[in-house]
Every structure is written in C-alpha cells, then in structure tokens.
Amino acid sequence: MKTSEVLSPTTTPESVYPQSAALQARAHQLIPGGCHTYAKGDDQYPVLAPAFLARGQGCHVWDVDGNEFIEYGMGLRSVTLGHAYPSVVEAAYRQMLLGNNYTRPAPIEIDCAEALLRAIEAAEMVKFAKNGSDVTTAAVKLARAYTGRDIVAICAEHPFFSVDDWFIGSTPMAAGIPEAIRQLTVKFHYNSPQSLTELFRTYPSRIACVMLEAETSLRPEPGFLEEVQRLCAENGALFVLDETLTGFRWDLGGAQKVYGLRPDLSTFGKGLGNGFAIAALAGKREFMERGGLRHSQERVFLLSTTHGAENHALAAAMATLRTYREEPVIETLHQQGDRLRNGANQAIHHHGLEGHVEILGRSCNLVYATRGEQRAPSQAFRALFLQELIRRGVIAPSLVVSYSHSDQDIDQTIDAIAGALGVYRKALDDGIAHHLVGRPVKPVFRPFN
Ligand SMILES: Cc1ncc(COP(=O)(O)O)c(C=O)c1O
C-alpha cells in the first residue's frame, strides 16, 4: 500500500491487498485462527495489513501482492541476523545433504552443545528441543522432580513463558485447562522481592521453581534479580531464568552475563538459530543430570522429541553462534536500536505525543506503548499506528532490530514513524474513526510483539 493512496473508512483489504485477502479467506476455512502461530494472527494486526508474506531478505520482506516492507521483530524475534542469512542457510543446507535425522545421535549434537555451553557460563549441561515452550516446560518438570514440590512461581508482569497448560492456565485464554492445574501456578511481581517472599510464606515447601525473564521493558531495580536468586536458594526452589528473548541479544552470554546471575536452569530459543527451530534447556549438572543415565535417583523424562536434535537446525545454530562471536552482531543490535529510539523519540516530541506513544525496552529489543485520548493503553491506537507504518513501508509489531537493519533502513523507518505519528496526532484531535480503516478484531491477550 502506498502512502499516497487515499483511504476512507470503507477502504477494504480486497482493494489494497487482493492476493492477501484471497488467501485470508482460504486460510480461515482451513486453519483455526488462519495461521499456526498466535502472534501472527489477524487479531494482532490492523485490517489493512498484508496478511501473507512470501519472501524475506535481510530485514526486508515482500508480501504476496508484491509490496516490499522493512520488517521488525522478524520471525517473532527469532531472526536476529536477517532473513535468508547466507552463512546460516549454507550451513543448514550442507548438513541436510548428509541426512537430517538418524536412529542414533549425530556428533553435531555434541559440537552444538559445546558451542552453547561456551557462551553460557553458569550452565554445565544442555538439552536441545524445537520451541521455547518445550524447554520452559522441561525446566518446570525437572524442578518439580528434583524438589518433590508441585507449585511454580512466575513473574506476573512477564507476558509469556509457554504454550503448555501450566502457563496458559494462568492467562485470560485458559479454556480447556483444568482448575487443578491452574491452581499450581502462582504469581509474584517484578521488582517486588516482598511479593516473592510472601509466596514462599503462603506455600511453605511447595514452590519447586521461580521463573522470570531478567528484563523486559521493565528494568530491574538494583539488587532485585540477586534477591530473587537468593530467595530461591534460601527456600529450596530452583531459580529458572527464561532467556528466550534476552539470550544472544543482551549479550552472547545472555542477560545472566549482563546481571552477573547464575541461574540453576536457563532456557533459550529465539536468537539461537536465526529462525531455524531450535531451543535449549541449559543448567547446572546437579539438576540436569536427573534427566540422564548416570545417577541412582528416579530418572526424569527430560525432553525427548523426534525432531529435537534435527541436524540442520543444530548446524544453523552453530553458524549463528559463530557469527555472534566473530562479528559485531550484539553491538550492532544495540547501536541500531539507539539510532531508532532517538529518531522515534524526536518524532514523538515533534508531534507533542509524549504520554501517548512511548518507546520502551533495551535498545536491542525495543517495543512501544500506544495510548488514547485519556492516556490509557489503546489497542485501537496501536492498530492505527501499525496501519500508518504499513502504509509507509514498515511492518513493526515491535521495534526489535536485526543485524541486517542498515542506517538507511533505520532512517527510512524514522521517517515512516514521523509520518504515522502525524496521523496519530490528528486522530487524537478529531477522532480515530476518521483514520482507522475497519474494525480490527481485539486479541484476547497480546503475549508478545
Ligand atoms: C519469554 C518467552 N518464553 C518462552 C516463549 C515460548 O517460545 P516458543 O514460542 O518458541 O514456544 C516465548 C515466546 O514468545 C517467550 O517470549
């Protein structure tokens, strides 16, 4: 869609994105929700958004109607280097030519384990899987088995840990999850060690593990993370750090390196394989060994999936980790995020939108908040902002950069943000209905951007 195209409240997706709209109709006929990943669904986007992307290169994508966009938060933040990144694709391809799954393990399973453990200092053993959810769920199981306890304490402000019942049962979309399971997940508050202490007091000797991310758009107050670690040790619960988003983005050694933490278990996913399906549960030997053969305790059925060690995904992960080591990837993510944040903040200031639009988070992992007339969080204004960015050639459910975002991409994005905010300003002044096309479906919850 071009900025010059005149929109009216009656503009239809069919007139702007004919191919996308046709696929959308078919998709909803065949696939519940129209796609296989919640956060890619139509309820997360404005009505006037390209519904299907056909191709990606670096940080650019092309939709099925042939429109080109600069993309942010690519692959739900899993594509850190760039789409179709040559050295990663080449490594995966070369491995596929050797076959990608045998009846016994392949040596690459050890090589990849060594490469990961070299980066994550507190971990001594690792087990691979396909999704972040596989490994957070495995962490919970291991913690329950090791401690003999049943309750899991998670951070209330952290939006997503797993697709599995122990977590989804705690969200507003808990249909199908028995109450008995829901009772076993309890919540504490970020930056409130008191709230965690309170949980330990309410459920004495019942909390198996405490799971949180080190940092989201909320920064930890000095001493908070250390205090969580200390409270876990004091109360006999495992300290589990979910590094699905922070791993290989904050630092090669994860957020645990930045904050000097030594979690009992930590989980990785996005960022590990540049979009290939690979996740990892890493941790101290004392706990991880319970999933192994060399002990006399009851064995934990720890992560066994047919495709868990698919060889080409491991090859992709090794090539990705090598790129992180040999090139200034993490430095670039932070630098380009700084450039984007500064430009976006200037545009916000220029349009007098402080308090309505806010850029949040670490530079390597920027998100934004949208607020309406009364400065309350507004899904409608989020849809409008997205719509106007898309009109200007940018798809940005978040502002999470990749190693492929050049200065030119960032500057073009800043121009798009400035243009979109101009419309945002007008919508605040004369009513959003004059500017937002269609009525987007409201998501039940928005787990991630
Ligand atoms: C912090 C965090 N943990 C775990 C997950 C689950 O990962 P996956 O979608 O790969 O199962 C996500 C997904 O967005 C996440 O953001």
Side-chain angles (χ1 to χ4, degrees):
M1 185 176 26
K2 297 284 168 291
T3 320
S4 54
E5 280 180 46
V6 179
L7 296 185
S8 79
T10 55
T11 305
T12 61
E14 288 78 9
S15 64
V16 182
Y17 300 109
Q19 302 289 343
S20 259
L23 287 181
Q24 237 169 346
R26 273 174 64 203
H28 283 281
Q29 199 58 28
L30 299 171
I31 307 164
C35 65
H36 297 286
T37 309
Y38 181 89
K40 293 185 184 182
D42 290 338
D43 56 348
Q44 311 286 319
Y45 284 87
V47 169
L48 279 194
F52 289 88
L53 300 174
R55 187 164 73 84
Q57 187 70 51
C59 67
H60 291 234
V61 286
W62 287 261
D63 72 5
V64 289
D65 289 285
N67 301 302
E68 180 178 348
F69 300 92
I70 302 170
E71 203 192 18
Y72 285 84
M74 297 141 51
L76 310 176
R77 303 189 205 182
S78 66
V79 181
T80 26
L81 298 175
H83 292 299
Y85 200 78
S87 58
V88 178
V89 173
E90 181 68 27
Y93 173 70
R94 269 191 276 111
Q95 189 64 46
M96 274 191 273
L97 292 177
L98 303 175
N100 67 347
N101 210 340
Y102 320 128
T103 49
R104 296 224 66 196
I108 195 168
E109 299 185 29
I110 309 167
D111 297 339
C112 196
E114 278 172 354
L116 186 130
L117 291 172
R118 226 178 113 200
I120 309 304
E121 287 164 13
E124 293 163 303
M125 297 185 93
V126 61
K127 198 128 173 153
F128 294 118
K130 285 284 152 210
N131 295 288
S133 301
D134 303 340
V135 291
T136 50
T137 296
V140 166
K141 186 177 0 164
L142 191 53
R144 282 175 166 159
Y146 185 89
T147 59
R149 301 173 176 186
D150 56 355
I151 289 182
V152 179
I154 60 174
C155 181
E157 285 74 22
H158 292 172
F160 204 80
F161 290 110
S162 176
V163 293
D164 291 317
D165 289 0
W166 66 269
F167 174 70
I168 296 295
S170 75
T171 72
M173 211 168 167
I177 300 170
E179 186 57 32
I181 289 177
R182 300 177 63 181
Q183 300 268 328
L184 296 179
T185 297
V186 296
K187 298 190 179 183
F188 63 96
H189 291 290
Y190 196 68
N191 279 334
S192 170
Q194 301 82 344
S195 66
L196 183 58
T197 305
E198 197 52 46
L199 284 184
F200 280 122
R201 219 174 273 141
T202 312
Y203 303 101
S205 301
R206 281 196 61 192
I207 297 179
C209 65
V210 173
M211 187 181 294
L212 77 167
E213 297 183 76
E215 181 182 346
T216 55
S217 51
L218 288 174
R219 290 242 162 168
E221 278 165 16
F224 168 68
L225 294 168
E226 293 81 350
E227 184 59 5
V228 171
Q229 182 169 267
R230 194 193 65 74
L231 284 170
C232 286
E234 187 178 274
N235 291 280
L238 268 61
F239 173 44
V240 183
L241 203 62
D242 182 352
E243 295 244 38
T244 309
L245 293 177
T246 53
F248 315 109
R249 209 174 252 289
W250 262 234
D251 189 279
L252 180 61
Q256 55 194 274
K257 175 87 183 289
V258 173
Y259 287 111
L261 302 169
R262 296 192 74 79
D264 296 318
L265 299 171
S266 47
T267 58
F268 299 86
K270 308 175 197 242
L272 181 49
N274 197 46
F276 280 85
I278 175 144
L281 172 69
K284 295 179 182 165
R285 188 176 306 282
E286 177 186 357
F287 310 113
M288 294 290 288
E289 194 72 271
R290 287 292 181 98
L293 301 172
R294 300 178 168 195
H295 62 86
S296 52
Q297 310 281 333
E298 192 182 5
R299 189 177 176 198
V300 178
F301 195 88
L302 184 65
L303 278 170
S304 161
T305 55
T306 301
H307 302 288
E310 202 176 37
N311 298 351
H312 70 267
L314 297 179
M318 288 178 67
T320 304
L321 288 171
R322 198 174 312 120
T323 312
Y324 292 152
R325 274 190 192 286
E326 293 175 359
E327 297 186 32
V329 176
I330 287 158
E331 203 181 312
T332 304
L333 298 179
H334 285 85
Q335 264 169 14
Q336 297 305 68
D338 281 341
R339 189 181 183 99
L340 183 55
R341 186 204 298 271
N342 292 339
N345 279 339
Q346 276 174 22
I348 290 168
H349 180 67
H350 175 79
H351 290 288
L353 285 169
E354 288 98 343
H356 291 286
V357 180
E358 202 179 348
I359 310 296
L360 302 163
R362 279 225 168 201
S363 298
C364 62
N365 198 52
L366 294 177
V367 294
Y368 56 83
T370 50
R371 302 196 183 90
E373 293 86 351
Q374 311 307 322
R375 303 198 172 195
S378 167
Q379 188 62 30
F381 272 91
R382 178 179 166 83
L384 178 69
F385 187 52
L386 274 164
Q387 170 191 292
E388 293 303 314
L389 286 177
I390 288 168
R391 291 183 74 195
R392 291 162 177 81
V394 174
I395 300 183
S398 68
L399 292 170
V400 176
V401 295
S402 76
Y403 188 44
S404 294
H405 283 81
S406 67
D407 287 353
Q408 197 192 334
D409 293 315
I410 301 289
D411 294 347
Q412 209 174 313
T413 304
I414 293 168
D415 287 347
I417 291 174
L421 292 180
V423 179
Y424 200 116
R425 176 76 265 168
K426 276 196 213 132
L428 282 173
D429 297 339
D430 64 8
I432 193 167
H434 293 106
H435 303 276
L436 180 62
V437 175
R439 198 171 291 181
V441 186
K442 198 169 180 294
V444 180
F445 77 123
R446 206 159 53 71
F448 23 62
N449 301 293

